[in-house]
Amino acid sequence: MTGVWVLLGVLVLGGVAGALLQARNGRIRAAKASDVTKLPERVSGALAPEGVTLVQISTTFCAPCRHTRVILSALAEKTDGLTHVDLDVTETPEVAQALSVLRTPTTLALTPDGREVFRVGGVPRGQELLEALKPHLANV
Protein backbone atom coordinates (compact mmCIF):
# COMPACT_ATOMS: atom_id res chain seq x y z
CA MET A 1 0.00 0.00 0.00
CA THR A 2 2.91 2.36 0.71
CA GLY A 3 4.10 1.92 -2.87
CA VAL A 4 0.77 3.18 -4.21
CA TRP A 5 0.97 6.32 -2.07
CA VAL A 6 4.55 6.96 -3.15
CA LEU A 7 3.54 6.53 -6.80
CA LEU A 8 0.60 8.92 -6.40
CA GLY A 9 2.82 11.46 -4.63
CA VAL A 10 5.41 11.30 -7.40
CA LEU A 11 2.73 11.70 -10.07
CA VAL A 12 1.19 14.72 -8.31
CA LEU A 13 4.59 16.38 -7.79
CA GLY A 14 5.53 15.69 -11.40
CA GLY A 15 2.27 17.18 -12.63
CA VAL A 16 2.73 20.32 -10.52
CA ALA A 17 6.36 20.73 -11.66
CA GLY A 18 5.31 20.27 -15.30
CA ALA A 19 2.54 22.85 -14.97
CA LEU A 20 4.93 25.37 -13.43
CA LEU A 21 7.51 24.86 -16.16
CA GLN A 22 4.85 25.19 -18.86
CA ALA A 23 3.58 28.42 -17.32
CA ARG A 24 7.10 29.91 -17.36
CA ASN A 25 7.86 28.81 -20.93
CA GLY A 26 7.90 31.76 -23.32
CA ARG A 27 7.39 34.36 -20.59
CA ILE A 28 9.01 37.73 -21.22
CA ARG A 29 11.19 38.92 -18.35
CA ALA A 30 12.31 42.55 -18.24
CA ALA A 31 16.01 43.12 -17.80
CA LYS A 32 17.25 44.03 -14.35
CA ALA A 33 20.14 46.38 -13.62
CA SER A 34 22.12 43.32 -12.54
CA ASP A 35 21.67 41.85 -16.05
CA VAL A 36 24.05 44.48 -17.47
CA THR A 37 27.27 42.71 -18.35
CA LYS A 38 30.05 43.07 -20.86
CA LEU A 39 28.88 41.18 -23.91
CA PRO A 40 31.11 38.51 -25.40
CA GLU A 41 32.65 39.55 -28.74
CA ARG A 42 30.58 36.90 -30.54
CA VAL A 43 27.40 38.65 -29.36
CA SER A 44 28.44 42.30 -29.62
CA GLY A 45 29.73 41.70 -33.16
CA ALA A 46 26.31 40.36 -34.20
CA LEU A 47 24.29 43.39 -33.06
CA ALA A 48 22.54 45.48 -35.70
CA PRO A 49 23.62 49.15 -35.87
CA GLU A 50 20.00 50.32 -35.41
CA GLY A 51 16.83 49.01 -33.81
CA VAL A 52 16.68 45.88 -31.69
CA THR A 53 18.52 42.61 -32.23
CA LEU A 54 16.90 39.41 -31.02
CA VAL A 55 19.79 37.16 -30.07
CA GLN A 56 18.64 33.55 -29.85
CA ILE A 57 20.89 31.31 -27.76
CA SER A 58 20.57 27.75 -29.07
CA THR A 59 22.30 24.39 -29.00
CA THR A 60 22.66 21.81 -31.74
CA PHE A 61 20.22 19.21 -30.44
CA CYS A 62 17.57 21.58 -29.07
CA ALA A 63 14.20 20.84 -30.72
CA PRO A 64 12.39 23.95 -29.38
CA CYS A 65 15.25 26.06 -30.79
CA ARG A 66 14.15 25.21 -34.34
CA HIS A 67 10.62 26.41 -33.63
CA THR A 68 11.96 29.58 -31.99
CA ARG A 69 14.18 30.24 -35.03
CA VAL A 70 11.13 30.10 -37.32
CA ILE A 71 9.11 32.48 -35.11
CA LEU A 72 11.91 35.02 -34.66
CA SER A 73 13.02 34.97 -38.30
CA ALA A 74 9.47 35.59 -39.53
CA LEU A 75 8.99 38.39 -37.00
CA ALA A 76 12.26 40.06 -38.00
CA GLU A 77 11.43 39.83 -41.72
CA LYS A 78 8.12 41.66 -41.35
CA THR A 79 9.19 44.23 -38.70
CA ASP A 80 11.31 47.27 -39.52
CA GLY A 81 14.21 47.82 -37.15
CA LEU A 82 14.22 44.23 -35.89
CA THR A 83 17.05 41.79 -36.54
CA HIS A 84 17.33 38.12 -35.57
CA VAL A 85 20.64 36.37 -34.85
CA ASP A 86 20.87 32.71 -33.85
CA LEU A 87 23.95 31.77 -31.82
CA ASP A 88 24.69 28.09 -31.33
CA VAL A 89 26.61 27.81 -28.06
CA THR A 90 27.19 24.05 -28.19
CA GLU A 91 30.92 24.54 -28.74
CA THR A 92 31.19 27.82 -26.80
CA PRO A 93 29.34 27.42 -23.49
CA GLU A 94 31.27 30.37 -22.07
CA VAL A 95 29.05 32.67 -24.15
CA ALA A 96 25.93 31.29 -22.45
CA GLN A 97 27.64 31.52 -19.08
CA ALA A 98 28.65 35.16 -19.65
CA LEU A 99 25.02 36.00 -20.51
CA SER A 100 23.59 34.02 -17.55
CA VAL A 101 21.66 31.73 -19.90
CA LEU A 102 20.58 28.54 -18.14
CA ARG A 103 18.36 26.96 -20.81
CA THR A 104 17.91 26.88 -24.54
CA PRO A 105 16.31 28.46 -26.32
CA THR A 106 16.74 31.81 -24.62
CA THR A 107 16.13 35.00 -26.58
CA LEU A 108 17.73 38.29 -25.60
CA ALA A 109 16.45 41.60 -26.98
CA LEU A 110 19.48 43.88 -27.24
CA THR A 111 19.91 47.50 -28.30
CA PRO A 112 22.78 48.52 -30.63
CA ASP A 113 24.88 49.54 -27.60
CA GLY A 114 24.41 46.09 -26.04
CA ARG A 115 21.83 46.96 -23.40
CA GLU A 116 19.45 44.11 -22.65
CA VAL A 117 15.81 45.16 -22.96
CA PHE A 118 14.29 41.80 -21.98
CA ARG A 119 14.78 38.07 -22.29
CA VAL A 120 12.54 35.11 -23.03
CA GLY A 121 13.21 31.61 -21.74
CA GLY A 122 11.74 28.94 -23.99
CA VAL A 123 9.74 29.38 -27.17
CA PRO A 124 8.45 32.96 -27.37
CA ARG A 125 4.90 33.86 -28.33
CA GLY A 126 5.12 36.05 -31.43
CA GLN A 127 2.37 38.54 -30.65
CA GLU A 128 3.47 39.04 -27.03
CA LEU A 129 7.03 39.56 -28.21
CA LEU A 130 5.92 42.17 -30.73
CA GLU A 131 3.94 44.01 -28.02
CA ALA A 132 6.99 44.05 -25.74
CA LEU A 133 9.14 45.38 -28.59
CA LYS A 134 6.81 48.28 -29.54
CA PRO A 135 8.33 50.85 -27.17
CA HIS A 136 11.82 50.05 -28.50
CA LEU A 137 11.07 50.14 -32.23
CA ALA A 138 10.13 53.30 -34.11
CA ASN A 139 7.90 51.80 -36.81
CA VAL A 140 6.05 48.91 -35.16
Side-chain angles (χ1 to χ4, degrees):
M1 188 66 173
T2 304
V4 172
W5 288 111
V6 170
L7 178 63
L8 285 174
V10 168
L11 289 174
V12 167
L13 287 175
V16 168
L20 288 173
L21 287 174
Q22 184 63 28
R24 291 187 60 180
N25 190 39
R27 189 179 73 194
I28 297 172
R29 182 177 69 88
K32 298 180 240 175
S34 62
D35 289 342
V36 177
T37 59
K38 175 147 174 47
L39 293 176
E41 178 60 35
R42 187 168 176 204
V43 177
S44 61
L47 296 179
E50 294 180 358
V52 175
T53 303
L54 297 176
V55 178
Q56 176 186 341
I57 307 297
S58 303
T59 53
T60 303
F61 299 107
C62 168
C65 294
R66 289 183 219 115
H67 186 60
T68 299
R69 187 176 305 114
V70 170
I71 292 169
L72 298 180
S73 294
L75 196 61
E77 284 178 18
K78 68 179 184 179
T79 307
D80 290 336
L82 188 61
T83 306
H84 170 239
V85 176
D86 185 7
L87 295 180
D88 186 332
V89 295
T90 303
E91 301 296 326
T92 55
E94 63 274 2
V95 172
Q97 185 178 10
L99 297 171
S100 301
V101 172
L102 300 176
R103 68 182 282 200
T104 58
T106 293
T107 304
L108 307 173
L110 301 172
T111 60
D113 62 355
R115 184 177 54 87
E116 183 178 325
V117 177
F118 61 79
R119 67 175 52 204
V120 181
V123 179
R125 296 173 191 97
Q127 194 57 39
E128 289 179 21
L129 193 60
L130 195 56
E131 288 298 318
L133 286 166
K134 275 186 180 181
H136 306 284
L137 296 172
N139 298 329
V140 176

